Amino acid sequence: MTAPALQQPSSQQTPPGAEAPRALPPPPPAPPGAPSHRLRFAVGVLVASLVVTGLSWMLLSRARAGAALALEERKATVATLALADLVVRAGGSGDGVRQALAAWQQQAPAGAQAKVIAFDGLSLEAATDAGLGAPRRLQRDEKPLYDQGQRLRAAVETNREESVVRKEEVEIAAQPDGSLLLAAPVELDGQVRGMVEVRTPRVVVAPSPSSGSAGLALLLPLVAFFALALVLGERRVGLALAATFALALGVGFYAWHSVSVVVEDRRAASEEVADSVRTQAETARELISRLGLPADPPVVASSWDADAFRKPRGWLTAAGQVDAGVLAGRLAQASGDVVRALVAVALLALLLLQAIGLGSVGALGRTLVTHRRAYAYVAPALVGMLVLVFFPFFYGITLSFTDSNLLNTSRPLTELWVGLKNYVDILSDFDLSRTSADGARVANYTNFYWTLGVTVVWTVTNVVIGVSVGLLLALVLNTRGLALRPVYRVLLILPWAMPNYITSLIWRGMFHQQFGVVNHVLALFGGEPVSWFETPFTSFLTALTTNGWLSFPFMMVVSLGALQSIPVELYEAARVDGASRWQQFRAITLPSLKPALVPAVILSVVWTFNQFNVIYLVTAGEPGGSTEILITQSYKFAFEKYRYGYAAAYSTVIFGILLVYGVFQNRVTKATEAV
Amino acid sequence: MLRSIAKLLCLTTLFALPALGAEAKKLVVWHAYRAEEKAAFEKVVAAFNQQNAAKGLQVESLAVPYDAFADKISAAVPRGKGPDVFIYAQDRLGGWIEAGNTVEPIDFFLDDATKSRFLPTTMEAMVYRGTTYGLPLNYKVLAMIFNKKLVAKPPKTTGELVKVAKGLTDPATGRFGFAYNYGDFYYHSALLNGFGGRVFENGSTPVLNAPENVKSIELLMKWARKDNVLPKEPSVAVITSLFSAGKAAIVFSGPWFLGEIAKDIDWGLAPLPTIDEAGGKPMRPWITVEGVYVAAPSKNKDAAFEFARYLTDVPAAKVLALEGRQSPANKKVYEDPKVAADPVLKVFRQQVEVAVPMPNVPEMSMMWSPATNAMNAITKGSTSPKAALDKAQEALAKDVASLRKK
């Protein structure tokens, strides 16, 4: 670093008073020699069309590749389920299975391989690869095969037991060499007794979408914009509209192109599947009659075109023809998806276009260059914040829109998307109480609004207690000439110095009905022992006491510090004027404390609102979850009920509440600063 | 000069070490044992290492704090960062299996000889949806602990129990014939299963309000309210201090309780009594089984399974029982004269015969909160057992259903 470079920030030369507003100098509106509006918008249109065409080309090619893979998977599933059907008819094991497999192989595409496993005796019953020497016992390195079979068995049983189909009964895995490996259960008399495994030949990669139409989609807006710009001249609003129109033109063209490509792909794919289903069905029927396998139940080939849960997809009629009505519906859905994706991309590009065209990107770039040193210094902290704060935060928010829970964490979040459902569930549930079996009204303690009410009451009471006790003790400690003041001060700060979970556990013990010290003291004065955790009110009191004990030292320290900074002369003057003690307190002490107390109260509100430890350890929500506050409730949703998505939504709502409070607090703080 | 030689030496050793390590297979095992249990476990590991030194197989044991153990496994193992073998109770097993890529199924390795060497109940705890996932190592089960000074002969039936307890109870001075943490559903399981009750049916369909469950709680309430032999608001701390002060004559608790008893108390251990009210059927507490699991992403699964088999074999089990003071799941070890002569191990061994494995379905962890709420409402007398269990069942069924959505 050279010395002149260090002196670059101009604020050093400016007078101190002007420093704060100069932190981010606004870029001059139109410096001489700045690019014209036309040029800026032209660049904007170019960049935006590049972005929109590039992104949609990528989306389209991915959609095509995905559709091609899905087609291969469907065809492979048909082949696998057809084989499984034959194996079941052949009894799951024995020579019949080997004959069925041999016949199946003849009609299967070249290079397709299959194995049949029977769980009894861990046996490899049949394999297309003669080198494997079936039938024989499975070897140790074939353990994954056996485990996979057991997994399928467990999946089938689970789905049946829970009558909710959520476990895959056909496993499809893409292999590194580009082939697909499928496994399906062999079900005999309602029990999974074996498995078939099919390996397809290499899957052909889907063709990339044509670059011609992409180029056209790129050129079209540019040409349109140049033509319009020639007419419009240097008018900003007109240019902005023209640029938007040009972009829309390009997007519209590419959307039309993408929809026609996707629809054509889908139509061809369903024909292809229908073909393969018919071929498989023919082979199966021929085989059944040739090998004398049981023909009952009849072969329903269309059911082989099934999803991973072995549920027929419903695209085909029982005869194996494409169902035109269903196909039309699915095609409409697919084109709707394409259009939606493109609109999203277009909106993003439009934002970029206007940002460039209206000059904000240029301004941003200039700021970055001017303050590059500052940004360089901030960068490491920014990265840290990004990884440690913003990523978890946004991940949590994303999670709140899903139905993620313990049983589906392995699936991608996009599959679990439920939109605003969690929020609606939380916020629209006004079921505050219900009638119990014996006719009495019982409060519904898991209701959000109940918990919110408890949390608000909890926060307000705690802060009131903390402030009043803290202030009172501070006033006492501030008495002039008090002996042993340091000793008292240390003693009173002790509750704060102890780890609060220890304090909480001790208080919980003290509230024990039979052996707790609180009830012993009550008994000393002739009272009846109270079962503290039995009613919501007394249970709430125990938590309140504990938190009051924990929170007054902080308020006391803050108040004491502020008290000691009040000049003694003020009181002397007041006394000379004949003010009473109360008047002195109202007119001198309280106003002087305000700047110190208000921030302390604000902080304390946030802490108490999210005071997890005390509630969790002292009342644990007893009785029946009535003393739960929002943060402990959300913990229960996440770690006892394993509803991660719901708990994330709950936490986001808590965040929202605190955010609103934070904005409000900012106003109040500014108001106090002004005083 | 000297320094550069030292540097050179360091460098050469650095290069030499991985070369050596590549030859030797190294397994990492995570456990949550402490104190004497840890010492015994490490002794067994050392013996295994000595035996397998020639094969180049070494096991390294790592004690992970119990509180963090399950979460660490859930986070590390599926990402391939965890141990090869780990030891934990069966209650988290279902959750790990549902999450996937955590616990390796071992049916394929498991021969009948290995299977038959365990107490059947403990083996059952390792099975989830028909597949075996671990070898049982130790188990923990409730039994009856009594103060020999106050109770000469441990009661064999609940009738005797109440009779003995009534004679020793005086709530005014805080003396109880009989005390246990009955508000905790885990402790209540002994009565619950004794009556033929259950929490889940057909895998994981909740049935908290089964009629047998209601009956078991009604008996408990009779003890607490009518016979007045149980303390109010029980907790582990209260029960421990009562027993240690000689103020509770009989306690139902597990092996963890034995270490907490004051030195001057002369205590004995006996199986839980049979239930007269259930036609003389025995109390059947939930048993928790510590299983040895092979991590699914482990690169040495065969070796890991061999180690698991060694850990659960008789010589290892003997060390764990006699030095670690644990109850091995291997039944052959109880034929050893030293183990057979141990009164504590003997009683737990008897108790396990009638015990029921605690369900290992992931839905289990959702059961605790509604069940505890119900028990609290019942024991405080604010609700009838039936109504409280109905409410708990409703809450649990709702939670389970919300988890099952596709």
mmCIF file of all heavy atoms in Angstrom, chain A residues 157-186:
data_model
loop_
_atom_site.group_PDB
_atom_site.id
_atom_site.type_symbol
_atom_site.label_atom_id
_atom_site.label_comp_id
_atom_site.label_asym_id
_atom_site.label_seq_id
_atom_site.Cartn_x
_atom_site.Cartn_y
_atom_site.Cartn_z
ATOM 1 N N GLU A 157 -44.450 -53.319 2.983
ATOM 2 C CA GLU A 157 -45.186 -53.557 4.226
ATOM 3 C C GLU A 157 -45.588 -52.252 4.893
ATOM 4 O O GLU A 157 -46.702 -52.111 5.394
ATOM 5 C CB GLU A 157 -44.328 -54.392 5.184
ATOM 6 C CG GLU A 157 -44.298 -55.850 4.773
ATOM 7 C CD GLU A 157 -43.301 -56.662 5.578
ATOM 8 O OE1 GLU A 157 -42.760 -56.133 6.568
ATOM 9 O OE2 GLU A 157 -43.047 -57.815 5.203
ATOM 10 N N THR A 158 -44.656 -51.282 4.908
ATOM 11 C CA THR A 158 -44.968 -49.999 5.538
ATOM 12 C C THR A 158 -46.129 -49.331 4.834
ATOM 13 O O THR A 158 -47.076 -48.867 5.474
ATOM 14 C CB THR A 158 -43.744 -49.064 5.471
ATOM 15 O OG1 THR A 158 -42.631 -49.767 5.979
ATOM 16 C CG2 THR A 158 -43.974 -47.809 6.280
ATOM 17 N N ASN A 159 -46.083 -49.292 3.511
ATOM 18 C CA ASN A 159 -47.157 -48.644 2.762
ATOM 19 C C ASN A 159 -48.492 -49.301 3.051
ATOM 20 O O ASN A 159 -49.510 -48.643 3.173
ATOM 21 C CB ASN A 159 -46.872 -48.701 1.265
ATOM 22 C CG ASN A 159 -45.771 -47.739 0.870
ATOM 23 O OD1 ASN A 159 -45.449 -46.833 1.631
ATOM 24 N ND2 ASN A 159 -45.187 -47.939 -0.283
ATOM 25 N N ARG A 160 -48.460 -50.622 3.153
ATOM 26 C CA ARG A 160 -49.704 -51.340 3.379
ATOM 27 C C ARG A 160 -50.221 -51.040 4.786
ATOM 28 O O ARG A 160 -51.394 -50.774 4.988
ATOM 29 C CB ARG A 160 -49.454 -52.839 3.208
ATOM 30 C CG ARG A 160 -50.730 -53.617 3.024
ATOM 31 C CD ARG A 160 -50.418 -55.050 2.730
ATOM 32 N NE ARG A 160 -49.746 -55.226 1.454
ATOM 33 C CZ ARG A 160 -48.901 -56.238 1.203
ATOM 34 N NH1 ARG A 160 -48.625 -57.125 2.143
ATOM 35 N NH2 ARG A 160 -48.351 -56.356 0.030
ATOM 36 N N GLU A 161 -49.305 -51.066 5.775
ATOM 37 C CA GLU A 161 -49.691 -50.878 7.167
ATOM 38 C C GLU A 161 -50.252 -49.489 7.422
ATOM 39 O O GLU A 161 -51.242 -49.319 8.107
ATOM 40 C CB GLU A 161 -48.433 -51.011 8.028
ATOM 41 C CG GLU A 161 -48.500 -52.101 9.043
ATOM 42 C CD GLU A 161 -47.114 -52.360 9.569
ATOM 43 O OE1 GLU A 161 -46.403 -51.382 9.864
ATOM 44 O OE2 GLU A 161 -46.722 -53.536 9.666
ATOM 45 N N GLU A 162 -49.571 -48.495 6.866
ATOM 46 C CA GLU A 162 -49.951 -47.128 7.195
ATOM 47 C C GLU A 162 -51.063 -46.631 6.296
ATOM 48 O O GLU A 162 -51.590 -45.550 6.510
ATOM 49 C CB GLU A 162 -48.739 -46.210 7.056
ATOM 50 C CG GLU A 162 -47.656 -46.564 8.049
ATOM 51 C CD GLU A 162 -46.437 -45.676 7.905
ATOM 52 O OE1 GLU A 162 -46.414 -44.870 6.961
ATOM 53 O OE2 GLU A 162 -45.534 -45.790 8.731
ATOM 54 N N SER A 163 -51.396 -47.413 5.278
ATOM 55 C CA SER A 163 -52.369 -47.014 4.256
ATOM 56 C C SER A 163 -52.089 -45.601 3.751
ATOM 57 O O SER A 163 -52.980 -44.889 3.330
ATOM 58 C CB SER A 163 -53.810 -47.170 4.744
ATOM 59 O OG SER A 163 -54.027 -46.406 5.889
ATOM 60 N N VAL A 164 -50.835 -45.182 3.877
ATOM 61 C CA VAL A 164 -50.390 -43.941 3.230
ATOM 62 C C VAL A 164 -49.197 -44.371 2.397
ATOM 63 O O VAL A 164 -48.256 -44.917 2.930
ATOM 64 C CB VAL A 164 -49.913 -42.902 4.254
ATOM 65 C CG1 VAL A 164 -49.406 -41.669 3.535
ATOM 66 C CG2 VAL A 164 -51.006 -42.548 5.211
ATOM 67 N N VAL A 165 -49.274 -44.172 1.112
ATOM 68 C CA VAL A 165 -48.184 -44.674 0.276
ATOM 69 C C VAL A 165 -47.074 -43.643 0.249
ATOM 70 O O VAL A 165 -47.215 -42.582 -0.339
ATOM 71 C CB VAL A 165 -48.703 -44.968 -1.137
ATOM 72 C CG1 VAL A 165 -47.571 -45.450 -2.007
ATOM 73 C CG2 VAL A 165 -49.792 -46.005 -1.061
ATOM 74 N N ARG A 166 -45.979 -43.912 0.939
ATOM 75 C CA ARG A 166 -44.927 -42.906 0.975
ATOM 76 C C ARG A 166 -43.544 -43.499 0.750
ATOM 77 O O ARG A 166 -42.561 -42.800 0.744
ATOM 78 C CB ARG A 166 -44.952 -42.174 2.311
ATOM 79 C CG ARG A 166 -44.689 -43.051 3.504
ATOM 80 C CD ARG A 166 -44.630 -42.232 4.774
ATOM 81 N NE ARG A 166 -44.463 -43.094 5.938
ATOM 82 C CZ ARG A 166 -43.278 -43.475 6.386
ATOM 83 N NH1 ARG A 166 -42.192 -43.071 5.806
ATOM 84 N NH2 ARG A 166 -43.195 -44.270 7.438
ATOM 85 N N LYS A 167 -43.456 -44.828 0.605
ATOM 86 C CA LYS A 167 -42.140 -45.439 0.415
ATOM 87 C C LYS A 167 -42.054 -46.014 -0.989
ATOM 88 O O LYS A 167 -42.977 -46.687 -1.424
ATOM 89 C CB LYS A 167 -41.961 -46.568 1.430
ATOM 90 C CG LYS A 167 -41.914 -46.073 2.829
ATOM 91 C CD LYS A 167 -40.612 -46.479 3.399
ATOM 92 C CE LYS A 167 -40.321 -45.790 4.682
ATOM 93 N NZ LYS A 167 -38.975 -46.084 5.095
ATOM 94 N N GLU A 168 -40.939 -45.796 -1.642
ATOM 95 C CA GLU A 168 -40.802 -46.257 -3.012
ATOM 96 C C GLU A 168 -40.753 -47.768 -3.083
ATOM 97 O O GLU A 168 -39.984 -48.407 -2.370
ATOM 98 C CB GLU A 168 -39.535 -45.664 -3.620
ATOM 99 C CG GLU A 168 -39.622 -44.164 -3.728
ATOM 100 C CD GLU A 168 -38.523 -43.584 -4.573
ATOM 101 O OE1 GLU A 168 -37.613 -44.332 -4.964
ATOM 102 O OE2 GLU A 168 -38.592 -42.366 -4.835
ATOM 103 N N GLU A 169 -41.573 -48.331 -3.961
ATOM 104 C CA GLU A 169 -41.594 -49.781 -4.112
ATOM 105 C C GLU A 169 -40.831 -50.228 -5.344
ATOM 106 O O GLU A 169 -40.619 -51.411 -5.551
ATOM 107 C CB GLU A 169 -43.041 -50.274 -4.152
ATOM 108 C CG GLU A 169 -43.768 -50.002 -2.842
ATOM 109 C CD GLU A 169 -45.202 -50.487 -2.830
ATOM 110 O OE1 GLU A 169 -45.619 -51.140 -3.785
ATOM 111 O OE2 GLU A 169 -45.893 -50.203 -1.844
ATOM 112 N N VAL A 170 -40.472 -49.266 -6.187
ATOM 113 C CA VAL A 170 -39.575 -49.560 -7.303
ATOM 114 C C VAL A 170 -38.402 -48.604 -7.167
ATOM 115 O O VAL A 170 -38.610 -47.394 -7.112
ATOM 116 C CB VAL A 170 -40.265 -49.339 -8.661
ATOM 117 C CG1 VAL A 170 -39.289 -49.616 -9.789
ATOM 118 C CG2 VAL A 170 -41.489 -50.217 -8.789
ATOM 119 N N GLU A 171 -37.204 -49.143 -7.041
ATOM 120 C CA GLU A 171 -36.049 -48.258 -6.895
ATOM 121 C C GLU A 171 -35.347 -48.131 -8.237
ATOM 122 O O GLU A 171 -35.085 -49.128 -8.905
ATOM 123 C CB GLU A 171 -35.089 -48.817 -5.837
ATOM 124 C CG GLU A 171 -35.682 -48.743 -4.440
ATOM 125 C CD GLU A 171 -34.672 -49.049 -3.358
ATOM 126 O OE1 GLU A 171 -33.492 -49.325 -3.684
ATOM 127 O OE2 GLU A 171 -35.054 -49.013 -2.183
ATOM 128 N N ILE A 172 -35.075 -46.901 -8.596
ATOM 129 C CA ILE A 172 -34.377 -46.641 -9.861
ATOM 130 C C ILE A 172 -33.109 -45.878 -9.534
ATOM 131 O O ILE A 172 -33.163 -44.861 -8.849
ATOM 132 C CB ILE A 172 -35.241 -45.799 -10.818
ATOM 133 C CG1 ILE A 172 -36.596 -46.488 -11.025
ATOM 134 C CG2 ILE A 172 -34.521 -45.577 -12.132
ATOM 135 C CD1 ILE A 172 -37.537 -45.712 -11.903
ATOM 136 N N ALA A 173 -31.973 -46.383 -9.996
ATOM 137 C CA ALA A 173 -30.721 -45.683 -9.741
ATOM 138 C C ALA A 173 -29.973 -45.521 -11.052
ATOM 139 O O ALA A 173 -29.803 -46.482 -11.801
ATOM 140 C CB ALA A 173 -29.881 -46.467 -8.740
ATOM 141 N N ALA A 174 -29.551 -44.292 -11.336
ATOM 142 C CA ALA A 174 -28.750 -44.064 -12.533
ATOM 143 C C ALA A 174 -27.320 -44.496 -12.229
ATOM 144 O O ALA A 174 -26.773 -44.156 -11.189
ATOM 145 C CB ALA A 174 -28.797 -42.594 -12.909
ATOM 146 N N GLN A 175 -26.751 -45.279 -13.134
ATOM 147 C CA GLN A 175 -25.388 -45.776 -12.923
ATOM 148 C C GLN A 175 -24.388 -44.819 -13.578
ATOM 149 O O GLN A 175 -24.744 -44.096 -14.512
ATOM 150 C CB GLN A 175 -25.254 -47.170 -13.535
ATOM 151 C CG GLN A 175 -26.167 -48.181 -12.895
ATOM 152 C CD GLN A 175 -25.862 -48.362 -11.435
ATOM 153 O OE1 GLN A 175 -24.781 -48.783 -11.073
ATOM 154 N NE2 GLN A 175 -26.803 -48.010 -10.576
ATOM 155 N N PRO A 176 -23.147 -44.860 -13.094
ATOM 156 C CA PRO A 176 -22.151 -43.947 -13.671
ATOM 157 C C PRO A 176 -21.960 -44.177 -15.175
ATOM 158 O O PRO A 176 -21.640 -43.240 -15.916
ATOM 159 C CB PRO A 176 -20.864 -44.285 -12.923
ATOM 160 C CG PRO A 176 -21.237 -45.173 -11.797
ATOM 161 C CD PRO A 176 -22.646 -45.611 -11.957
ATOM 162 N N ASP A 177 -22.177 -45.387 -15.657
ATOM 163 C CA ASP A 177 -21.954 -45.642 -17.086
ATOM 164 C C ASP A 177 -23.139 -45.218 -17.946
ATOM 165 O O ASP A 177 -23.169 -45.456 -19.153
ATOM 166 C CB ASP A 177 -21.627 -47.120 -17.318
ATOM 167 C CG ASP A 177 -22.813 -48.005 -17.021
ATOM 168 O OD1 ASP A 177 -23.798 -47.490 -16.471
ATOM 169 O OD2 ASP A 177 -22.767 -49.209 -17.339
ATOM 170 N N GLY A 178 -24.161 -44.597 -17.329
ATOM 171 C CA GLY A 178 -25.278 -44.103 -18.112
ATOM 172 C C GLY A 178 -26.433 -45.072 -18.214
ATOM 173 O O GLY A 178 -27.432 -44.763 -18.837
ATOM 174 N N SER A 179 -26.304 -46.244 -17.598
ATOM 175 C CA SER A 179 -27.443 -47.159 -17.627
ATOM 176 C C SER A 179 -28.297 -46.951 -16.376
ATOM 177 O O SER A 179 -27.912 -46.216 -15.480
ATOM 178 C CB SER A 179 -26.940 -48.598 -17.688
ATOM 179 O OG SER A 179 -26.192 -48.884 -16.531
ATOM 180 N N LEU A 180 -29.449 -47.588 -16.369
ATOM 181 C CA LEU A 180 -30.334 -47.490 -15.204
ATOM 182 C C LEU A 180 -30.415 -48.847 -14.535
ATOM 183 O O LEU A 180 -30.429 -49.879 -15.195
ATOM 184 C CB LEU A 180 -31.735 -47.073 -15.641
ATOM 185 C CG LEU A 180 -31.918 -45.694 -16.244
ATOM 186 C CD1 LEU A 180 -33.345 -45.530 -16.738
ATOM 187 C CD2 LEU A 180 -31.599 -44.637 -15.197
ATOM 188 N N LEU A 181 -30.471 -48.810 -13.195
ATOM 189 C CA LEU A 181 -30.585 -50.044 -12.448
ATOM 190 C C LEU A 181 -31.902 -49.997 -11.696
ATOM 191 O O LEU A 181 -32.132 -49.110 -10.891
ATOM 192 C CB LEU A 181 -29.402 -50.137 -11.471
ATOM 193 C CG LEU A 181 -29.080 -51.509 -10.903
ATOM 194 C CD1 LEU A 181 -28.740 -52.469 -12.021
ATOM 195 C CD2 LEU A 181 -27.924 -51.399 -9.934
ATOM 196 N N LEU A 182 -32.789 -50.948 -11.987
ATOM 197 C CA LEU A 182 -34.105 -50.930 -11.358
ATOM 198 C C LEU A 182 -34.293 -52.160 -10.496
ATOM 199 O O LEU A 182 -33.774 -53.231 -10.799
ATOM 200 C CB LEU A 182 -35.212 -50.910 -12.409
ATOM 201 C CG LEU A 182 -35.383 -49.594 -13.163
ATOM 202 C CD1 LEU A 182 -34.536 -49.610 -14.400
ATOM 203 C CD2 LEU A 182 -36.842 -49.374 -13.494
ATOM 204 N N ALA A 183 -35.054 -51.994 -9.424
ATOM 205 C CA ALA A 183 -35.364 -53.132 -8.579
ATOM 206 C C ALA A 183 -36.827 -53.068 -8.198
ATOM 207 O O ALA A 183 -37.339 -51.996 -7.880
ATOM 208 C CB ALA A 183 -34.504 -53.108 -7.322
ATOM 209 N N ALA A 184 -37.494 -54.209 -8.290
ATOM 210 C CA ALA A 184 -38.903 -54.259 -7.920
ATOM 211 C C ALA A 184 -39.145 -55.508 -7.086
ATOM 212 O O ALA A 184 -38.469 -56.523 -7.263
ATOM 213 C CB ALA A 184 -39.774 -54.281 -9.170
ATOM 214 N N PRO A 185 -40.104 -55.450 -6.167
ATOM 215 C CA PRO A 185 -40.367 -56.598 -5.297
ATOM 216 C C PRO A 185 -41.133 -57.709 -6.026
ATOM 217 O O PRO A 185 -41.884 -57.430 -6.957
ATOM 218 C CB PRO A 185 -41.220 -56.002 -4.184
ATOM 219 C CG PRO A 185 -41.879 -54.822 -4.801
ATOM 220 C CD PRO A 185 -40.932 -54.294 -5.834
ATOM 221 N N VAL A 186 -40.897 -58.922 -5.576
ATOM 222 C CA VAL A 186 -41.659 -60.074 -6.076
ATOM 223 C C VAL A 186 -42.588 -60.489 -4.949
ATOM 224 O O VAL A 186 -42.148 -60.915 -3.893
ATOM 225 C CB VAL A 186 -40.724 -61.237 -6.459
ATOM 226 C CG1 VAL A 186 -41.543 -62.488 -6.737
ATOM 227 C CG2 VAL A 186 -39.901 -60.861 -7.662
#
